[in-house]
Amino acid sequence: TTREELFDYRALILGSVEASSFSPDQIRMIADFVDRRGGSLLVLGGPSSLAEGGFGATALAPVLPVQLEDPSEAQSADFWATMRLSPTRSGSLHPALRLGDAPGSDVDGEATAAATASARDSTTLLTSWENLPPLTSLNLLGETRPGATVLLEGDVQEVFGTRARPGFAQSRPPVFAFQRYGAGIAAVLGVHDTWLWQMHHEISLEDQTHERFWQQVLRWLVQEVPQPLYAGAANTRVAPAEPVELVARVSSEEYLPVNDARVVARVTDPFGAEQEIPLTWNLDRDGEYRGSFVPSADGPYDVDIEALDGDRELSAPTLHIEAGVLDEELRSGAMRGSLLRRVASETGGNFHTLDDLDRLPEALRYTERGTVVQEERDLWDLPLFFFLLFGLLSAEWIIRRRGGLV
């Protein structure tokens, strides 16, 4: 009944429930749950879901990745379609839809084969997409929105009812799609009987496809949902004497930025000593706090960031920082500005970013350092010398002819 109560959750799944089951304010709360809180919403298909459930004229319609029909049109005629599901190119790469074993590393073939065999034994008889039985859609989904990604599409087998559009049986309609909306994700799974992947007579009782699918979908929905306190570091691996930049973002119970919180970082060094570092509000961004520390010795550092917002005490997972001589160029392609500036200073060079890239040609032109390149060419490749030599020989011949030497 309140946003604070709803925002405690990270994901929300709506089944076959009509829009009239919610008050208009609750519908707006669900939209805010995705937009402002950054939560994940999954709407399942069914006879009382999506447009058929009257959501086409509510505040939730623009949140969803597919366009919904007008409620009067959606409820004026029936629709029923059976279709086999298959992943799109994006879906085949998406972690939520990987039904088989994850590919192993090629570094150690024997170890990879053993790990794969072990994984296969623990999740027996995982069925591929093409062998799964067809499912039923009672919802005629509209076109996907420009920013949406389709993960599963349907291969239509049969269509019943009077609402099927012309050519629908030959199309491949979207079945599972999602889009980023505000700070969160909204997804639609437009079928209502995925339980057939477990209960169909062609599926073995030991088959784990149904379980694997829903476990991965639920994990995907909740894994990147923000919490009231976010803590992070610009670099988790730093060179000796290189500062570690810490950042924290604090949100209220309604996930609005908080600018008057007390935020501290407790840093534990490799020897167990602890120091407290206050993080100050970044004036350029609401709710963001920054601070830094310089590792005093090589080794692992644990950073615990806590925030006090009135009587609310917030904490974030521990950050692990590694200080020492690094082979960072082999691990990451990110630019390390402080190191490049130091190299430029010690070698007499210049450091440029994209903001002052227009100064680079001038700096190269007047640099005091450079590389001399020697290039050798035949005289015949230089027309000026060729004509000069030809002229000298001709002049010599003319002088000898006039002197009677020819």
Side-chain angles (χ1 to χ4, degrees):
T1 58
T2 64
R3 282 166 172 76
E4 294 84 355
E5 182 183 6
L6 178 61
F7 288 5
D8 278 342
Y9 294 89
R10 287 193 284 174
L12 177 64
I13 300 178
L14 297 181
S16 185
V17 54
E18 295 181 349
S20 59
S21 301
F22 304 99
S23 67
D25 185 58
Q26 286 177 317
I27 295 290
R28 287 190 292 270
M29 283 170 48
I30 296 175
D32 290 342
F33 174 79
V34 180
D35 183 15
R36 187 200 307 172
R37 189 259 183 270
S40 297
L41 170 67
L42 175 62
V43 180
L44 306 180
S48 300
S49 180
L50 297 169
E52 289 72 12
F55 285 94
T58 67
L60 199 60
V63 179
L64 301 180
V66 294
Q67 298 180 5
L68 302 183
E69 295 179 337
D70 182 83
S72 59
E73 297 181 3
Q75 297 171 351
S76 62
D78 59 334
F79 172 79
W80 178 289
T82 59
M83 57 184 70
R84 289 187 179 274
L85 274 55
S86 60
T88 62
R89 181 174 178 82
S90 298
S92 63
L93 302 175
H94 199 277
L97 303 186
R98 295 178 181 172
L99 300 185
D101 299 319
S105 171
D106 293 333
V107 176
D108 187 343
E110 294 184 0
T112 300
T116 304
S118 176
R120 188 178 296 112
D121 291 340
S122 63
T123 56
T124 58
L125 299 176
L126 284 169
T127 306
S128 59
W129 287 101
E130 56 268 20
N131 295 328
L132 289 173
L135 302 183
T136 307
S137 175
L138 304 177
N139 308 97
L140 188 59
L141 300 181
E143 295 183 356
T144 56
R145 301 189 184 277
T149 301
V150 178
L151 300 179
L152 287 175
E153 58 186 8
D155 182 9
V156 180
Q157 308 291 307
E158 294 182 285
V159 182
F160 307 93
T162 59
R163 285 177 56 218
R165 296 184 290 264
F168 180 82
Q170 289 74 38
S171 66
R172 296 184 65 85
V175 176
F176 189 16
F178 77 95
Q179 73 169 355
R180 293 276 179 181
Y181 187 86
I185 292 177
V188 166
L189 179 59
V191 290
H192 79 119
D193 51 3
T194 59
W195 51 267
L196 282 175
W197 291 346
Q198 182 65 63
M199 304 300 293
H200 196 273
H201 67 89
E202 295 180 357
I203 300 295
S204 170
L205 293 178
E206 289 78 19
D207 191 288
Q208 298 293 306
T209 301
H210 184 252
E211 290 87 339
R212 171 72 69 88
F213 172 78
W214 277 108
Q215 288 169 356
Q216 294 178 162
V217 168
L218 296 177
R219 185 181 298 114
W220 166 62
L221 289 175
V222 302
Q223 65 181 358
E224 295 184 1
V225 175
Q227 296 301 300
L229 174 61
Y230 164 83
N235 292 314
T236 57
R237 293 173 57 86
V238 295
E242 181 179 356
V244 178
E245 302 291 338
L246 302 175
V247 60
R249 286 189 285 271
V250 183
S251 302
S252 67
E253 293 181 347
E254 292 190 356
Y255 278 79
L256 297 174
V258 176
N259 294 332
D260 57 352
R262 179 179 180 271
V263 184
V264 296
R266 292 182 173 82
V267 181
T268 305
D269 65 18
F271 308 104
E274 183 178 291
Q275 67 175 129
E276 186 174 290
I277 299 173
L279 273 63
T280 58
W281 173 38
N282 179 13
L283 299 178
D284 295 331
R285 296 193 63 179
D286 288 338
E288 183 174 284
Y289 299 78
R290 290 185 173 272
S292 65
F293 74 95
V294 178
S296 57
D298 294 351
Y301 288 76
D302 291 338
V303 181
D304 295 291
I305 296 181
E306 300 174 351
L308 182 63
D309 174 27
D311 57 355
R312 286 199 313 154
E313 295 182 1
L314 305 174
S315 60
T318 301
L319 300 176
H320 302 286
I321 309 297
E322 184 73 24
V325 179
L326 305 178
D327 53 353
E328 191 67 23
E329 66 276 7
L330 302 179
R331 299 174 179 268
S332 172
M335 183 185 74
R336 298 177 60 193
S338 59
L339 175 62
L340 294 176
R341 288 187 180 90
R342 190 178 70 188
V343 172
S345 175
E346 294 178 356
T347 59
N350 295 311
F351 175 82
H352 294 275
T353 63
L354 292 177
D355 296 332
D356 60 353
L357 196 61
D358 55 337
R359 295 168 46 198
L360 181 60
E362 203 70 12
L364 291 175
R365 182 179 178 184
Y366 293 105
T367 181
E368 296 179 358
R369 297 174 179 265
T371 301
V372 177
V373 178
Q374 294 184 353
E375 185 175 348
E376 295 183 2
R377 294 186 180 182
D378 294 333
L379 288 177
W380 311 108
D381 294 333
L382 302 173
L384 177 63
F385 288 99
F386 175 77
F387 287 115
L388 179 61
L389 180 59
F390 179 78
L392 290 176
L393 292 175
S394 300
E396 187 266 345
W397 183 83
I398 294 173
I399 293 174
R400 286 195 297 118
R401 181 179 177 83
R402 289 182 177 178
L405 299 177
V406 176

